């Protein structure tokens, strides 16, 4: 998920337009199978005109909402001058998609958790089956893993692997691009990273 997606989710809880938030976030919900490994995590780096952003997806425990059970998929991102924002998605089913999110919980530093069960109510669910481009063994973060490459309309492609916890994604290319840089089970997914005090300014236009 790009920085725009992260900020868009935050806008849901600060009174900004929910439609804009839904559009950005659901753009990262590609509907591929979840990879449930207890204590598993994956760290990504996204690129945009505003500079790089590191974030972590983690596999959480199980939960219930409105009589349905689900699994918590946790997104953490370091936001300069704010601290670490945590978004928890209670997902019903085996795929990360808008229609499967029972509850969205947002946690900001120094504030109580905020819940929304309608965060993606109007987002809809695209009835699009991705096309398989190739299957290969790739070396990512020093490990050889099986990766399936999918193509989506609009020039979006994504790599998915059963070895990568949480979303299974190895990379996403398109308007919101990011790539996997580390993954594992247990330990600190942020080890070795140093959050910036501020986000870099976008390069000046010539």
């Amino acid at each position: 998920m790009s920085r725009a997606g992260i900020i868009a989710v935050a806008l849901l809880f600060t009174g900004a337009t929910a439609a804009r938030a839904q559009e950005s976030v659901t753009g990262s919900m590609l509907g591929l199978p979840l990879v449930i490994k207890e204590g598993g995590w994956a760290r990504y780096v996204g690129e945009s005109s505003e500079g790089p952003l590191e974030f972590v997806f983690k596999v959480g425990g199980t939960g219930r909402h409105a009589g349905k059970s689900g699994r918590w998929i946790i997104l953490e991102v370091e936001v300069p001058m704010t601290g670490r924002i945590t978004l928890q998605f209670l997902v019903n089913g085996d795929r990360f998609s808008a229609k499967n999110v029972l509850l969205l919980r947002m946690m900001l530093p120094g504030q109580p958790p905020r819940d929304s069960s309608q965060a993606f109510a109007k987002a809809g669910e695209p009835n699009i089956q991705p096309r398989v481009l190739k299957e290969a063994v790739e070396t990512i973060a020093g490990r050889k893993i099986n990766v399936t490459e999918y193509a989506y309309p609009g020039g979006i492609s994504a790599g998915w692997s059963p070895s990568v916890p949480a979303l299974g994604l190895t990379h996403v290319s398109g308007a919101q691009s990011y790539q996997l840089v580390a993954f594992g089970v247990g330990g600190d997914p942020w080890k070795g990273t140093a959050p910036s005090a501020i986000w870099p300014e976008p390069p000046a236009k010539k």
Side-chain angles (χ1 to χ4, degrees):
M1 184 179 297
S2 70
R3 180 185 314 166
I6 303 297
I7 294 175
V9 176
L11 293 178
L12 282 170
F13 299 93
T14 58
T17 304
R20 178 183 171 191
Q22 292 167 348
E23 180 180 358
S24 295
V25 177
T26 53
S28 294
M29 293 182 168
L30 299 176
L32 294 173
L34 295 170
V35 179
I36 303 302
K37 296 185 178 184
E38 297 291 341
W41 55 269
R43 191 171 78 242
Y44 299 87
V45 170
E47 293 292 340
S48 74
S49 60
E50 299 171 311
L53 171 71
E54 281 194 286
F55 54 94
V56 169
F57 275 103
K58 299 196 297 187
V59 178
T62 57
R64 294 185 64 84
H65 177 73
K68 295 182 179 180
S69 61
R71 169 74 64 168
W72 288 104
I73 299 298
I74 302 166
L75 169 62
E76 295 180 346
V77 58
E78 291 280 359
V79 178
M81 297 178 290
T82 298
R84 186 172 298 175
I85 289 178
T86 301
L87 303 175
Q88 299 182 349
F89 302 83
L90 184 60
V91 182
N92 173 255
D94 62 354
R95 293 175 183 267
F96 190 58
S97 62
K99 72 175 182 180
N100 287 348
V101 176
L102 301 175
L103 188 68
L104 172 61
R105 176 170 295 156
M106 184 172 186
M107 303 173 69
L108 298 175
Q111 298 185 23
R114 302 182 184 182
D115 290 355
S116 173
S117 60
Q118 299 296 316
F120 307 107
K122 297 181 181 179
E125 188 71 15
N127 187 22
I128 298 173
Q129 293 296 323
R131 177 168 54 93
V132 176
L133 292 179
K134 65 178 181 179
E135 296 181 353
V137 176
E138 298 183 11
T139 301
I140 301 176
R143 307 184 199 181
K144 292 184 180 295
I145 59 176
N146 294 318
V147 177
T148 302
E149 183 91 8
Y150 292 94
Y152 292 80
I156 298 172
S157 65
W160 182 90
S161 173
S163 299
V164 180
L167 304 191
L169 294 172
T170 61
H171 76 274
V172 173
S173 300
Q176 298 186 25
S177 299
Y178 49 92
Q179 61 184 7
L180 179 69
V181 293
F183 63 99
V185 175
D188 180 9
W190 292 96
K191 185 177 180 179
T193 64
S196 301
I198 58 173
W199 277 322
E201 292 294 327
K205 294 182 179 180
K206 296 182 180 180

